[in-house]
Amino acid sequence: MFLVDLVHFDDNIPNWRTKSEVLNVNVLVLVTEGKVSYSINGIDYVGERGDFIFIPHGTRRAGDNHHTGPHQKYTVIFRYDENAVPVIPFLQNKQFVQFKLRNFQYAQRRFERLFEEVCNGGNYLSFICPAILQELIGMLARELEKPEVTPMKMKYAQLIKHYLLDHYREPIEIGQLARLIHRSPNYTTSVFREVIGHSPIKYIHLLRIREACSLLLSTDMTVANISSYLGYYDTSYFFRIFKKHTAMSPTDFMIYGKHTDHAELFP
């Protein structure tokens, strides 16, 4: 279905530039830092952190560092059989797309994983890499179908998100988050779910369980200590939440977790 030719990670290259040419491949880009300038069929675009960019084959493209300086980005060069892929509008229409993803961190981890797989080589690359690329294409297609989020909703969601990132180990109630943005609890939950994709409570659990995975693999803390450290004062409840999100108990994760791709556990 999809064939990955190359994956690049451009890491603040001082004189990065790509000449003007008509592409005979497809290009998928995730900008992770800074800004990058593109000319697409004679029209100028600027990609910045969080932008997911698709450039279809047949496009005349040139690229350069933005005048503000170098940038970081992942670039995937790929091909696909048009008769073998599902109907995905932006692929079918060979449409240039520039879109700011709502779940940037997860997309970044998937690009990182794709880059690592290509760099490390090994068996089954022909299965693993197209599967990751297919997920990224699906993410972009799904995001494009969602209604546009207003700047104010994005601002509210980001305020809540940053608060949760700083306080996820503490007891948090929806009322606290509502007061943070001066809105009702129902509106607070609704706008966070619309922008981030999860309710605030589920997002707290995801942050805690992600931290639990790291602690289980990299420390000698007991499961009970980790449960308490992360704000779960009932260890049995921590077990249930952990298994719900990882499909393993904490004790099993200590044994098998190092072989698990954590990015797939936490979208």
Side-chain angles (χ1 to χ4, degrees), residues 24-212:
N24 60 3
V25 292
N26 302 280
V27 179
L28 197 64
V29 175
L30 181 69
V31 184
T32 54
E33 292 292 343
K35 296 181 179 181
V36 57
S37 297
Y38 282 115
S39 173
I40 304 296
N41 292 329
I43 301 174
D44 293 334
Y45 295 89
V46 175
E48 58 185 26
R49 174 181 167 83
D51 280 350
F52 207 163
I53 299 170
F54 170 69
I55 309 173
H57 67 87
T59 300
R60 176 167 289 279
R61 176 216 60 184
D64 204 343
N65 276 331
H66 191 257
H67 66 81
T68 54
H71 62 276
Q72 284 185 341
K73 71 177 183 300
Y74 288 93
T75 303
V76 182
I77 311 298
F78 71 98
R79 291 171 283 155
Y80 64 93
D81 182 350
E82 296 183 15
N83 298 316
V85 299
V87 177
I88 298 177
F90 74 87
L91 289 182
Q92 190 176 42
N93 299 333
K94 298 180 174 59
Q95 171 191 357
F96 170 78
V97 173
Q98 181 175 350
F99 190 85
K100 194 169 292 293
L101 285 173
R102 305 182 196 192
N103 201 343
F104 167 67
Q105 287 82 4
Y106 179 73
Q108 183 175 3
R109 292 197 299 272
R110 301 310 286 150
F111 272 90
E112 288 172 355
R113 173 67 189 278
L114 185 56
F115 178 67
E116 290 168 0
E117 287 290 343
V118 171
C119 288
N120 294 336
N123 298 328
Y124 309 113
L125 278 182
S126 62
F127 291 93
I128 296 171
C129 292
I132 298 173
L133 175 60
Q134 182 173 326
E135 180 187 6
L136 291 168
I137 293 289
M139 285 175 61
L140 181 54
R142 184 172 59 192
E143 290 278 338
L144 289 170
E145 290 181 351
K146 292 180 179 178
E148 186 176 353
V149 176
T150 65
M152 187 56 70
K153 286 184 176 180
M154 183 66 73
K155 178 182 177 181
Y156 288 154
Q158 291 303 320
L159 280 172
I160 297 166
K161 180 178 178 181
H162 289 308
Y163 182 85
L164 295 179
L165 287 168
D166 289 338
H167 300 278
Y168 66 91
R169 290 170 47 209
E170 304 168 13
I172 296 176
E173 297 181 354
I174 295 299
Q176 293 174 253
L177 305 178
R179 289 189 292 275
L180 186 68
I181 62 171
H182 307 290
R183 291 294 184 270
S184 71
N186 286 342
Y187 179 86
T188 300
T189 299
S190 175
V191 74
F192 191 83
R193 182 184 285 115
E194 180 181 349
V195 176
I196 304 300
H198 304 296
S199 71
I201 298 304
K202 183 174 180 180
Y203 190 72
I204 291 169
H205 287 311
L206 288 172
L207 292 174
R208 289 177 173 181
I209 299 306
R210 184 182 299 161
E211 178 73 1

Side-chain angles (χ1 to χ4, degrees), residues 169 208 212 215-216 221-239 250:
R169 290 170 47 209
R208 289 177 173 181
L215 295 172
L216 287 166
M221 293 175 68
T222 67
V223 173
N225 286 341
I226 291 173
S227 172
S228 177
Y229 175 76
L230 294 174
Y232 295 112
Y233 302 111
D234 181 346
T235 305
S236 62
Y237 179 63
F238 169 66
F239 263 78

